[in-house]
Amino acid sequence: MIRRHLRTNVIGYVALFAALCTGAYAAGLKKDSVKSKQIAAGAVKTDELADGAVDSAKVADGSLTAGDFGGPLPQGEQGPPGPPGSPDTGAQILAKLDEVAGPGSGLDADYLDGLSSQGYVKANDTPGGELSGTYANPGIADGVVGVHEHAMTPAARVSQPFTAGSCFGAPVIPGDGTTTTMAFATQDTESGGEMHGGPCSELSKLYAPNSGFYAISASIVWDATDGGSRFIGIRLNGDDDDYMAGERMVAASGSDRSEQSISTLVHLEQGEYAEVFLSQNSGSPITLDNAFRRQSFQMAWIAP
């Protein structure tokens, strides 16, 4: 009878044994001992998740869509529409700018202040020609400045004296010591600017075309006349109190000619001038022989 009871209830006993063993096993699980392989796919439901158990750290970037949130995400207030864009492509816009670009357009950097940008230099560009170094502070290359690279030096020499204001009249010097301004008819040489010339009243003057230091000299040959003394002087800017050089000598006797030559170094501003003055006190007028080339007046710029 016991055998018959066991045979007819064997399945129930097996089920009861499994249930008792499973409960004992579950009751005996250690903390953190259940791994993902012990959990069947889809076995964890919403009800099994604690509140706040899933946060952003547990969600893969880009894995959630609007559908995961039950519909579209909320959006902020829409801003005003922007201006309509050009129907042209970028290439078409550039082509149109090229058509209107030019001096004064302000649309093309190929032009600066109306000049082609190719005419400008940039910092650290290397200059050419006779320059060295780089921009913006190039220098003059070694050995390129010679005699022919210098500007013409202002200089003039005039000769053939006559009495100023007489316009090529005889150069007569009164014998009473009166100071006489000398003009010069012949311009032997002139360079670097206009220094001598113009109307009769200007032929006594040598002008400074540039400011700077000038070497000025004058020479005179007196006719052979006994008695008294002879004077030659260089005056600036028509000022009787501004003689820069002068010489007085006793006249030669007999048939000898008295000759005088003076020189000085003077700083002149542009437009200032020098003149030569003569006087003698022999008691008789002396007419100079202006055929001598050494009857001359000269002035040359030598330094700034």
Side-chain angles (χ1 to χ4, degrees), residues 118-199:
Q118 294 179 353
Y120 289 78
V121 296
K122 299 181 290 296
N124 299 320
D125 278 355
T126 301
E130 296 179 346
L131 297 178
S132 64
T134 57
Y135 291 110
N137 296 299
I140 299 176
D142 293 339
V144 299
V145 178
V147 174
H148 299 291
E149 281 71 31
H150 288 285
M152 294 291 290
T153 299
R157 184 185 191 276
V158 293
S159 61
Q160 191 183 351
F162 61 94
T163 304
S166 66
C167 289
F168 303 98
V172 178
I173 312 301
D176 59 0
T178 301
T179 302
T180 303
T181 307
M182 303 307 299
F184 294 85
T186 301
Q187 182 175 293
D188 295 328
T189 185
E190 184 180 71
S191 66
E194 185 175 350
M195 301 176 67
H196 181 257

Side-chain angles (χ1 to χ4, degrees), residues 55-99:
D55 56 20
S56 60
K58 305 296 193 301
V59 181
D61 292 341
S63 64
L64 299 180
T65 64
D68 295 319
F69 295 92
L73 296 175
Q75 296 182 355
E77 182 180 352
Q78 185 175 0
S86 171
D88 295 332
T89 65
Q92 289 172 327
I93 293 174
L94 289 176
K96 289 181 178 180
L97 289 176
D98 285 339
E99 291 177 3

